[in-house]
PDB file of all heavy atoms in Angstrom:
ATOM      1  N   GLY A   5      15.914  18.897  -8.131  1.00 97.00           N
ATOM      2  CA  GLY A   5      17.177  18.549  -7.485  1.00 97.00           C
ATOM      3  C   GLY A   5      17.970  19.813  -7.263  1.00 97.00           C
ATOM      4  O   GLY A   5      17.499  20.744  -6.600  1.00 97.00           O
ATOM      5  N   ARG A  28      10.554  12.920  -8.949  1.00 93.00           N
ATOM      6  CA  ARG A  28      10.246  11.519  -8.679  1.00 93.00           C
ATOM      7  C   ARG A  28      10.979  10.956  -7.470  1.00 93.00           C
ATOM      8  O   ARG A  28      10.774   9.805  -7.096  1.00 93.00           O
ATOM      9  CB  ARG A  28      10.635  10.678  -9.900  1.00 93.00           C
ATOM     10  CG  ARG A  28      12.133  10.649 -10.164  1.00 93.00           C
ATOM     11  CD  ARG A  28      12.468   9.840 -11.404  1.00 93.00           C
ATOM     12  NE  ARG A  28      13.910   9.791 -11.632  1.00 93.00           N
ATOM     13  CZ  ARG A  28      14.466   9.244 -12.697  1.00 93.00           C
ATOM     14  NH1 ARG A  28      13.704   8.695 -13.627  1.00 93.00           N
ATOM     15  NH2 ARG A  28      15.774   9.220 -12.841  1.00 93.00           N
ATOM     16  N   GLY A  50      12.239  10.778   5.045  1.00 86.00           N
ATOM     17  CA  GLY A  50      11.707   9.878   4.027  1.00 86.00           C
ATOM     18  C   GLY A  50      10.602  10.513   3.195  1.00 86.00           C
ATOM     19  O   GLY A  50       9.805   9.822   2.578  1.00 86.00           O
ATOM     20  N   LEU A  61       8.609  26.208   0.109  1.00 98.00           N
ATOM     21  CA  LEU A  61       8.433  27.383  -0.741  1.00 98.00           C
ATOM     22  C   LEU A  61       7.096  28.062  -0.488  1.00 98.00           C
ATOM     23  O   LEU A  61       6.977  29.284  -0.607  1.00 98.00           O
ATOM     24  CB  LEU A  61       8.588  27.000  -2.212  1.00 98.00           C
ATOM     25  CG  LEU A  61      10.029  26.650  -2.594  1.00 98.00           C
ATOM     26  CD1 LEU A  61      10.099  26.127  -4.016  1.00 98.00           C
ATOM     27  CD2 LEU A  61      10.937  27.863  -2.428  1.00 98.00           C
ATOM     28  N   ARG A  73       4.022  17.467  -7.306  1.00 97.00           N
ATOM     29  CA  ARG A  73       3.623  16.236  -8.002  1.00 97.00           C
ATOM     30  C   ARG A  73       4.768  15.239  -7.866  1.00 97.00           C
ATOM     31  O   ARG A  73       5.832  15.429  -8.472  1.00 97.00           O
ATOM     32  CB  ARG A  73       3.379  16.493  -9.492  1.00 97.00           C
ATOM     33  CG  ARG A  73       2.186  17.360  -9.798  1.00 97.00           C
ATOM     34  CD  ARG A  73       0.862  16.581  -9.652  1.00 97.00           C
ATOM     35  NE  ARG A  73      -0.258  17.443  -9.983  1.00 97.00           N
ATOM     36  CZ  ARG A  73      -0.783  17.547 -11.209  1.00 97.00           C
ATOM     37  NH1 ARG A  73      -0.296  16.849 -12.206  1.00 97.00           N
ATOM     38  NH2 ARG A  73      -1.800  18.349 -11.418  1.00 97.00           N
ATOM     39  N   ARG A  87       1.232  19.880 -19.841  1.00 96.00           N
ATOM     40  CA  ARG A  87       0.671  20.624 -20.981  1.00 96.00           C
ATOM     41  C   ARG A  87      -0.137  21.863 -20.612  1.00 96.00           C
ATOM     42  O   ARG A  87      -0.439  22.671 -21.484  1.00 96.00           O
ATOM     43  CB  ARG A  87      -0.164  19.702 -21.867  1.00 96.00           C
ATOM     44  CG  ARG A  87      -1.485  19.303 -21.270  1.00 96.00           C
ATOM     45  CD  ARG A  87      -2.308  18.522 -22.266  1.00 96.00           C
ATOM     46  NE  ARG A  87      -3.270  17.706 -21.536  1.00 96.00           N
ATOM     47  CZ  ARG A  87      -3.779  16.593 -22.012  1.00 96.00           C
ATOM     48  NH1 ARG A  87      -3.438  16.158 -23.194  1.00 96.00           N
ATOM     49  NH2 ARG A  87      -4.655  15.922 -21.300  1.00 96.00           N
ATOM     50  N   ALA A 101      14.057  12.109 -20.352  1.00 91.00           N
ATOM     51  CA  ALA A 101      12.924  12.928 -19.889  1.00 91.00           C
ATOM     52  C   ALA A 101      12.963  14.325 -20.506  1.00 91.00           C
ATOM     53  O   ALA A 101      11.930  14.933 -20.768  1.00 91.00           O
ATOM     54  CB  ALA A 101      12.942  13.013 -18.363  1.00 91.00           C
ATOM     55  N   TRP A 116       9.812  26.692 -23.279  1.00 98.00           N
ATOM     56  CA  TRP A 116      10.505  26.051 -22.148  1.00 98.00           C
ATOM     57  C   TRP A 116      11.961  26.454 -22.115  1.00 98.00           C
ATOM     58  O   TRP A 116      12.521  26.893 -23.117  1.00 98.00           O
ATOM     59  CB  TRP A 116      10.317  24.535 -22.163  1.00 98.00           C
ATOM     60  CG  TRP A 116      11.006  23.729 -23.221  1.00 98.00           C
ATOM     61  CD1 TRP A 116      10.661  23.625 -24.532  1.00 98.00           C
ATOM     62  CD2 TRP A 116      12.136  22.857 -23.039  1.00 98.00           C
ATOM     63  NE1 TRP A 116      11.498  22.742 -25.187  1.00 98.00           N
ATOM     64  CE2 TRP A 116      12.419  22.262 -24.293  1.00 98.00           C
ATOM     65  CE3 TRP A 116      12.933  22.520 -21.936  1.00 98.00           C
ATOM     66  CZ2 TRP A 116      13.459  21.354 -24.472  1.00 98.00           C
ATOM     67  CZ3 TRP A 116      13.969  21.620 -22.119  1.00 98.00           C
ATOM     68  CH2 TRP A 116      14.218  21.043 -23.379  1.00 98.00           C
ATOM     69  N   VAL A 121      23.500  21.276 -15.567  1.00 96.00           N
ATOM     70  CA  VAL A 121      24.786  21.588 -14.938  1.00 96.00           C
ATOM     71  C   VAL A 121      25.593  20.309 -14.775  1.00 96.00           C
ATOM     72  O   VAL A 121      25.039  19.238 -14.527  1.00 96.00           O
ATOM     73  CB  VAL A 121      24.614  22.255 -13.547  1.00 96.00           C
ATOM     74  CG1 VAL A 121      24.115  23.667 -13.677  1.00 96.00           C
ATOM     75  CG2 VAL A 121      23.707  21.446 -12.646  1.00 96.00           C
ATOM     76  N   GLY A 134       8.159  26.795 -32.750  1.00 96.00           N
ATOM     77  CA  GLY A 134       7.762  27.505 -33.966  1.00 96.00           C
ATOM     78  C   GLY A 134       8.562  28.769 -34.220  1.00 96.00           C
ATOM     79  O   GLY A 134       8.547  29.309 -35.323  1.00 96.00           O
ATOM     80  N   GLY A 150      26.013   6.422 -21.040  1.00 66.00           N
ATOM     81  CA  GLY A 150      27.446   6.182 -20.861  1.00 66.00           C
ATOM     82  C   GLY A 150      28.327   7.060 -21.717  1.00 66.00           C
ATOM     83  O   GLY A 150      29.547   7.088 -21.549  1.00 66.00           O
ATOM     84  N   GLY A 162      28.822  23.196  -6.449  1.00 97.00           N
ATOM     85  CA  GLY A 162      27.614  23.889  -5.983  1.00 97.00           C
ATOM     86  C   GLY A 162      27.351  25.251  -6.622  1.00 97.00           C
ATOM     87  O   GLY A 162      26.247  25.520  -7.096  1.00 97.00           O
ATOM     88  N   VAL A 164      27.949  26.605  -9.463  1.00 98.00           N
ATOM     89  CA  VAL A 164      27.508  26.706 -10.861  1.00 98.00           C
ATOM     90  C   VAL A 164      25.995  26.549 -10.963  1.00 98.00           C
ATOM     91  O   VAL A 164      25.350  27.095 -11.864  1.00 98.00           O
ATOM     92  CB  VAL A 164      28.255  25.707 -11.781  1.00 98.00           C
ATOM     93  CG1 VAL A 164      27.777  24.279 -11.596  1.00 98.00           C
ATOM     94  CG2 VAL A 164      28.065  26.123 -13.233  1.00 98.00           C
ATOM     95  N   ALA A 176      12.890  32.707 -17.969  1.00 98.00           N
ATOM     96  CA  ALA A 176      11.491  32.321 -17.687  1.00 98.00           C
ATOM     97  C   ALA A 176      10.658  33.558 -17.353  1.00 98.00           C
ATOM     98  O   ALA A 176       9.513  33.686 -17.799  1.00 98.00           O
ATOM     99  CB  ALA A 176      11.454  31.310 -16.533  1.00 98.00           C
ATOM    100  N   ARG A 208      17.355  26.687 -36.505  1.00 97.00           N
ATOM    101  CA  ARG A 208      16.316  25.658 -36.667  1.00 97.00           C
ATOM    102  C   ARG A 208      16.730  24.756 -37.813  1.00 97.00           C
ATOM    103  O   ARG A 208      17.236  25.210 -38.828  1.00 97.00           O
ATOM    104  CB  ARG A 208      14.981  26.312 -37.024  1.00 97.00           C
ATOM    105  CG  ARG A 208      14.232  26.816 -35.816  1.00 97.00           C
ATOM    106  CD  ARG A 208      12.808  27.192 -36.180  1.00 97.00           C
ATOM    107  NE  ARG A 208      11.917  26.038 -36.177  1.00 97.00           N
ATOM    108  CZ  ARG A 208      10.627  26.100 -36.481  1.00 97.00           C
ATOM    109  NH1 ARG A 208      10.086  27.249 -36.856  1.00 97.00           N
ATOM    110  NH2 ARG A 208       9.866  25.020 -36.440  1.00 97.00           N
ATOM    111  N   ARG A 224       5.643   9.041 -28.171  1.00 90.00           N
ATOM    112  CA  ARG A 224       4.977   7.880 -28.767  1.00 90.00           C
ATOM    113  C   ARG A 224       5.585   6.568 -28.325  1.00 90.00           C
ATOM    114  O   ARG A 224       5.027   5.503 -28.580  1.00 90.00           O
ATOM    115  CB  ARG A 224       5.040   7.976 -30.292  1.00 90.00           C
ATOM    116  CG  ARG A 224       3.998   8.886 -30.884  1.00 90.00           C
ATOM    117  CD  ARG A 224       3.821   8.584 -32.338  1.00 90.00           C
ATOM    118  NE  ARG A 224       5.123   8.250 -32.958  1.00 90.00           N
ATOM    119  CZ  ARG A 224       5.418   8.486 -34.221  1.00 90.00           C
ATOM    120  NH1 ARG A 224       4.534   9.030 -34.995  1.00 90.00           N
ATOM    121  NH2 ARG A 224       6.598   8.150 -34.699  1.00 90.00           N
ATOM    122  N   SER A 233      18.316   2.235 -13.873  1.00 77.00           N
ATOM    123  CA  SER A 233      19.217   2.554 -12.768  1.00 77.00           C
ATOM    124  C   SER A 233      19.349   4.067 -12.707  1.00 77.00           C
ATOM    125  O   SER A 233      19.305   4.761 -13.716  1.00 77.00           O
ATOM    126  CB  SER A 233      20.560   1.859 -12.901  1.00 77.00           C
ATOM    127  OG  SER A 233      20.936   1.781 -14.216  1.00 77.00           O
ATOM    128  N   PHE A 270       3.063  10.127   1.117  1.00 88.00           N
ATOM    129  CA  PHE A 270       3.636  10.036  -0.226  1.00 88.00           C
ATOM    130  C   PHE A 270       4.421   8.749  -0.454  1.00 88.00           C
ATOM    131  O   PHE A 270       4.666   8.363  -1.574  1.00 88.00           O
ATOM    132  CB  PHE A 270       4.586  11.213  -0.466  1.00 88.00           C
ATOM    133  CG  PHE A 270       3.942  12.545  -0.287  1.00 88.00           C
ATOM    134  CD1 PHE A 270       4.039  13.216   0.922  1.00 88.00           C
ATOM    135  CD2 PHE A 270       3.224  13.112  -1.320  1.00 88.00           C
ATOM    136  CE1 PHE A 270       3.439  14.451   1.098  1.00 88.00           C
ATOM    137  CE2 PHE A 270       2.619  14.342  -1.158  1.00 88.00           C
ATOM    138  CZ  PHE A 270       2.720  15.015   0.045  1.00 88.00           C
ATOM    139  N   CYS A 275      13.526  -1.692   5.028  1.00 93.00           N
ATOM    140  CA  CYS A 275      14.752  -2.382   4.623  1.00 93.00           C
ATOM    141  C   CYS A 275      14.562  -3.887   4.695  1.00 93.00           C
ATOM    142  O   CYS A 275      13.974  -4.389   5.656  1.00 93.00           O
ATOM    143  CB  CYS A 275      15.907  -1.997   5.550  1.00 93.00           C
ATOM    144  SG  CYS A 275      16.511  -0.352   5.220  1.00 93.00           S
ATOM    145  N   GLY A 287       2.973   3.716  -7.203  1.00 85.00           N
ATOM    146  CA  GLY A 287       3.375   2.340  -7.437  1.00 85.00           C
ATOM    147  C   GLY A 287       4.837   2.176  -7.800  1.00 85.00           C
ATOM    148  O   GLY A 287       5.359   1.069  -7.829  1.00 85.00           O
ATOM    149  N   ARG A 288       5.509   3.284  -8.081  1.00 89.00           N
ATOM    150  CA  ARG A 288       6.936   3.213  -8.374  1.00 89.00           C
ATOM    151  C   ARG A 288       7.697   2.823  -7.125  1.00 89.00           C
ATOM    152  O   ARG A 288       7.278   3.132  -6.015  1.00 89.00           O
ATOM    153  CB  ARG A 288       7.463   4.590  -8.792  1.00 89.00           C
ATOM    154  CG  ARG A 288       7.502   4.836 -10.255  1.00 89.00           C
ATOM    155  CD  ARG A 288       8.080   6.201 -10.549  1.00 89.00           C
ATOM    156  NE  ARG A 288       7.660   7.224  -9.616  1.00 89.00           N
ATOM    157  CZ  ARG A 288       8.478   7.888  -8.816  1.00 89.00           C
ATOM    158  NH1 ARG A 288       9.777   7.642  -8.809  1.00 89.00           N
ATOM    159  NH2 ARG A 288       8.008   8.826  -8.011  1.00 89.00           N
ATOM    160  N   ILE A 291      14.805   1.142  -5.274  1.00 93.00           N
ATOM    161  CA  ILE A 291      15.456   0.148  -4.416  1.00 93.00           C
ATOM    162  C   ILE A 291      16.926   0.488  -4.328  1.00 93.00           C
ATOM    163  O   ILE A 291      17.642   0.501  -5.343  1.00 93.00           O
ATOM    164  CB  ILE A 291      15.203  -1.267  -4.968  1.00 93.00           C
ATOM    165  CG1 ILE A 291      13.684  -1.491  -4.942  1.00 93.00           C
ATOM    166  CG2 ILE A 291      15.952  -2.311  -4.130  1.00 93.00           C
ATOM    167  CD1 ILE A 291      13.208  -2.791  -5.487  1.00 93.00           C
ATOM    168  N   LYS A 302      12.791  -8.674  -8.403  1.00 84.00           N
ATOM    169  CA  LYS A 302      12.400  -9.774  -7.517  1.00 84.00           C
ATOM    170  C   LYS A 302      11.945  -9.217  -6.158  1.00 84.00           C
ATOM    171  O   LYS A 302      10.901  -9.606  -5.640  1.00 84.00           O
ATOM    172  CB  LYS A 302      13.601 -10.714  -7.347  1.00 84.00           C
ATOM    173  CG  LYS A 302      13.378 -11.884  -6.434  1.00 84.00           C
ATOM    174  CD  LYS A 302      14.570 -12.851  -6.543  1.00 84.00           C
ATOM    175  CE  LYS A 302      14.602 -13.861  -5.406  1.00 84.00           C
ATOM    176  NZ  LYS A 302      14.988 -13.301  -4.113  1.00 84.00           N
TER     177      LYS A 302
END
Side-chain angles (χ1 to χ4, degrees):
R28 66 182 181 186
L61 290 174
R73 293 283 181 91
R87 73 174 157 206
W116 71 285
V121 288
V164 74
R208 277 192 84 181
R224 279 199 323 210
S233 36
F270 303 95
C275 285
R288 266 182 321 117
I291 299 178
K302 179 171 165 288

